[in-house]
Amino acid sequence: GEDVEQSLFLSVREGDSSVINCTYTDSSSTYLYWYKQEPGAGLQLLTYIFSNMDMKQDQRLTVLLNKKDKHLSLRIADTQTGDSAIYFCAELEGKLIFGQGTELSVKP
Amino acid sequence: GAGVSQSPSNKVTEKGKDVELRCDPISGHTALYWYRQSLGQGLEFLIYFQGNSAPDKSGLPSDRFSAERTGGSVSTLTIQRTQQEDSAVYLCASIQNYNEQFFGPGTRLTVL
């Protein structure tokens, strides 16, 4: 099937780390992505990882990929209130298929 | 332009009417996607154009939906005989390669 799955909500306190999880469907997906959608704003590509990598770090963002379990995660270090948004994962299997999004709420 | 533009930004129509949604991608980008996002939902894939290849229409929910891309650039998504369940935000994405992806602001369609 084409169901990329994410938990719907995550709430953290400012300064804590956030971990958003995603399970994808196709072991042959070449790239996996994380996007951010802020209220009233468009979708923004945050980061991506190539399928032959296990980890990618980009400033406060760390992406972990477990190909065996088809599990992708996004860790945001030192989460700030400005990180409050909906985060989508997506896999590229010929075309981009998105999860349903995880709403991250950051409490001061 | 510097980004992806979509028009109109908002469209309110009556059930049964036809609507056309337009996407102006980034010049030179070879791939163009249409998605729709219903309230509180993820992005539902609709259709994908890649260069001169035949489009992947596998996500179109019914034969009331169609899309074309003229000259490898501007794309129009047409919904015929709109239904209330078609109400959503329709997003266009302009993609050059695996890491150059830009999304438009979307067209919010409301079918009364």
Side-chain angles (χ1 to χ4, degrees), chain A residues 44-90:
Chain A
Q44 173 194 1
L45 175 62
L46 265 185
T47 188
Y48 63 92
I49 188 167
F50 187 48
S51 58
N52 69 352
M53 299 169 65
D54 298 323
M55 184 182 85
K56 179 179 179 182
Q57 187 152 2
D58 183 0
Q59 300 182 355
R60 292 191 297 122
L61 304 179
T62 303
V63 179
L64 294 179
L65 176 60
N66 181 331
K67 285 191 70 175
K68 174 177 172 290
D69 294 336
K70 289 187 274 188
H71 184 264
L72 182 73
S73 67
L74 174 69
R75 178 178 180 269
I76 306 173
D78 186 26
T79 313
Q80 303 297 306
T81 54
D83 295 325
S84 293
I86 300 175
Y87 291 81
F88 293 92
C89 64

Side-chain angles (χ1 to χ4, degrees), chain A residues 85-98:
Chain A
I86 300 175
Y87 291 81
F88 293 92
C89 64
E91 60 178 331
L92 182 63
E93 43 163 329
K95 55 184 181 278
L96 273 175
I97 301 298
F98 285 80

Side-chain angles (χ1 to χ4, degrees), chain B residues 3 5 9 24 27 30 64:
Chain B
S5 60
S9 55
D24 284 83
S27 178
T30 56
R64 295 186 296 105

Side-chain angles (χ1 to χ4, degrees), chain A residues 2 8 31 33 35 37 41-45 48 86 88 92 94-101, chain B residues 33 35 37 40-43 45 48 56 58-59 91 95 97-105:
Chain A
E2 294 191 341
L8 295 182
Y31 288 92
Y33 299 89
Y35 301 80
Q37 187 178 43
L43 204 64
Q44 173 194 1
L45 175 62
Y48 63 92
I86 300 175
F88 293 92
L92 182 63
K95 55 184 181 278
L96 273 175
I97 301 298
F98 285 80
Q100 66 269 52
Chain B
Y33 286 77
Y35 293 89
Q37 186 176 23
Q41 301 296 310
L43 275 74
F45 167 76
Y48 159 50
D56 180 341
S58 60
L91 291 170
I95 296 176
N97 56 42
Y98 67 89
N99 66 344
E100 288 186 43
Q101 304 178 10
F102 298 90
F103 286 77

